[in-house]
Amino acid sequence: MCSTLTVCRSSLRVDYERIKAAGPDRAAAEWLLRCGAKVRFQGFDRWHLDYNALPTGSLGRYKIQAIDATESCIMYKGFDYLDGLKHLEEVKFNKCIYIEDACLERLTSIENLQESLYMMEVVSCGNVTDKGIIALHKLRKLEYLFLSDLPGIKDRQTTVDRLQTALPHLEIQLDLD
């Protein structure tokens, strides 16, 4: 959870030099952890949530496989950190007050993620509407989507139908009532 407004404000600026120097996965992990999210690296079962305990090693050794942004303060501007991720398979946006349609549209515009992301949860994100959920159709490998407590979803059936038409292999679990 975002403990201070200062931490959240510092997350508004993307440090492109840091991305070049540390690599996209390390820089993204640093940003996510500063914002209160957790990451899991490829080949590991353990979630990392302490910025100061991130693993060290050669550049590019640790690849982000999953992000759990539950109650974090990640927001649109920081999504530039996700551009270089090539191994991200799972994302959970649970109780993320800054996640909105533009965030989901930005996420789905990242070509690497269109080919790698297969599981996603969007729960209790009050600024997400049908428009943001429909944008997920660009995630060609998406196999599982869980949607819950999204008051911005007004036309549930049309939204689900559009996703199912675009992604016939997608399993959608809903708890929107």
Side-chain angles (χ1 to χ4, degrees):
M1 163 101 49
C2 202
S3 59
T4 67
L5 193 52
T6 306
V7 171
C8 288
R9 284 194 179 136
S10 71
S11 302
L12 290 175
R13 294 181 305 277
V14 176
D15 187 345
Y16 298 100
E17 291 302 315
R18 181 67 182 151
I19 295 171
K20 277 189 219 172
D25 289 272
R26 175 67 187 214
E30 291 171 355
W31 168 67
L32 288 159
L33 271 55
R34 279 194 316 267
C35 292
K38 300 183 280 192
V39 298
R40 191 178 70 234
F41 294 105
Q42 200 172 40
F44 293 85
D45 294 328
R46 182 171 93 85
W47 286 93
H48 292 272
L49 49 104
D50 182 355
Y51 177 89
N52 295 311
L54 275 172
T56 58
S58 61
L59 184 65
R61 178 175 174 204
Y62 296 96
K63 305 292 185 189
I64 296 176
Q65 182 176 22
I67 296 170
D68 182 347
T70 299
E71 296 182 341
S72 71
C73 63
I74 64 171
M75 57 186 66
Y76 179 83
K77 177 61 178 168
F79 276 54
D80 283 3
Y81 280 107
L82 306 179
D83 282 342
L85 302 184
K86 296 181 179 173
H87 304 279
L88 184 62
E89 297 176 348
E90 303 174 25
V91 173
K92 294 179 183 181
F93 295 127
N94 297 331
K95 299 179 184 177
C96 299
I97 61 173
Y98 300 112
I99 294 297
E100 56 192 354
D101 292 343
C103 297
L104 298 180
E105 292 168 337
R106 174 72 175 94
L107 182 81
T108 64
S109 73
I110 301 170
E111 288 184 31
N112 294 332
L113 300 185
Q114 292 173 359
E115 295 301 323
S116 68
L117 202 57
Y118 77 85
M119 194 286 291
M120 187 170 207
E121 291 183 10
V122 184
V123 177
S124 300
C125 297
N127 295 317
V128 172
T129 71
D130 299 272
K131 180 181 176 187
I133 298 303
I134 290 169
L136 301 179
H137 80 278
K138 293 180 182 177
L139 299 173
R140 296 184 285 272
K141 301 292 184 180
L142 197 62
E143 295 177 11
Y144 176 80
L145 177 63
F146 178 63
L147 304 173
S148 178
D149 187 26
L150 299 171
I153 303 292
K154 302 299 184 195
D155 193 356
R156 177 179 118 176
Q157 194 58 52
T158 301
T159 299
V160 169
D161 289 347
R162 288 181 72 180
L163 276 179
Q164 290 288 196
T165 299
L167 302 168
H169 61 280
L170 177 62
E171 176 188 339
I172 302 175
Q173 187 175 10
L174 302 173
D175 182 13
L176 296 175
D177 296 323

